[in-house]
Structures are given as C-alpha cells and as structure tokens.
Amino acid sequence: MSAASASERPHTETGWASTGRAALFWASATVGVAVMFAAWFLLSVASLEEATDQSRALAAGESMAGTALLWGVLPLVAVHILGLAILIPMGRRARANPKMGGLLGTITVIAASAIGFVLVLLVTNGVLFKLASA
C-alpha cells in the first residue's frame, strides 16, 4: 500500500474523510486567522484615518465621512463571506459527515474572526474605533 493511498483512506473513527483533507482544512483555517486579523486591523486604521483627517478635509471643503465604512467595514464583511464560501465546502469534503463539516467550517470562520479581533485589540491597546473629536 502506498503512502498516498494510506492518507486518503476514510478515518471514520476521527470523523475526517482523509488525513490530507484534514491538514488542508486546518492550514486554510490558520491562514484565515491572519486574513481576519488583517481585515479587523484595516477597519481600525480606516476608522483612525476618518477621525484624524476630518478637520483637514472640512477645511478643504471635503469630508472623510464614510471612509471607515468603505475601507473598513466592507472589506471585513467581504472577508467573512469569502471565508464561509471557502471553509464550508472544504469542511463538507474533509469530514466524513458533510453536515458536520459545514458546521465546522462556519464555526472555524467565527473562531478565526474572534481571534483576529482580539489580536487587533491587543495591537491597538483596546481601541478599535477612533471617534472624531469636535
């Protein structure tokens, strides 16, 4: 028996369809944590940019209103949707029980987002949003 066929055997006792698929799922989930951190951090930076440059924008007859939404919230939502679109089908293929695989994909995206969120709070000293001062 070759090594490739051994890794593709169903592992019903562990719940994974194969060792290779399990490894790919968890590698993708790990990358997802970094992507979620970047998305949450981008939201924080966009919020800071909007708040700090508003006075200069007003002096120039412009406004920074909507910067955090456009450059922070929308990418954050897109990353969550993309994460679900990748990890749910991947989890369904990787698990012996496809329904549980889809649930695992969903839970993994939520966990990756929570970890990214907490890491951003640690990096930004607990400030996710900077409010404009009058």
Side-chain angles (χ1 to χ4, degrees), residues 38-97:
W40 281 108
F41 189 73
L42 185 60
L43 175 62
S44 180
V45 169
S47 171
L48 178 65
E49 181 77 12
E50 181 177 304
T52 58
D53 286 352
Q54 180 65 13
S55 60
R56 283 185 271 169
L58 290 175
E62 298 291 327
S63 175
M64 292 296 290
T67 301
L69 174 67
L70 182 63
W71 296 105
V73 175
L74 292 180
L76 183 65
V77 170
V79 164
H80 280 84
I81 292 170
L82 183 63
L84 290 169
I86 291 171
L87 286 178
I88 289 175
M90 187 179 286
R92 290 177 59 84
R93 286 188 301 273
R95 296 292 292 180
N97 180 344

Side-chain angles (χ1 to χ4, degrees), residues 120-134:
V120 166
L121 289 179
L122 290 173
V123 169
T124 62
N125 292 323
V127 179
L128 184 62
F129 294 106
K130 171 79 171 130
L131 299 176
S133 57

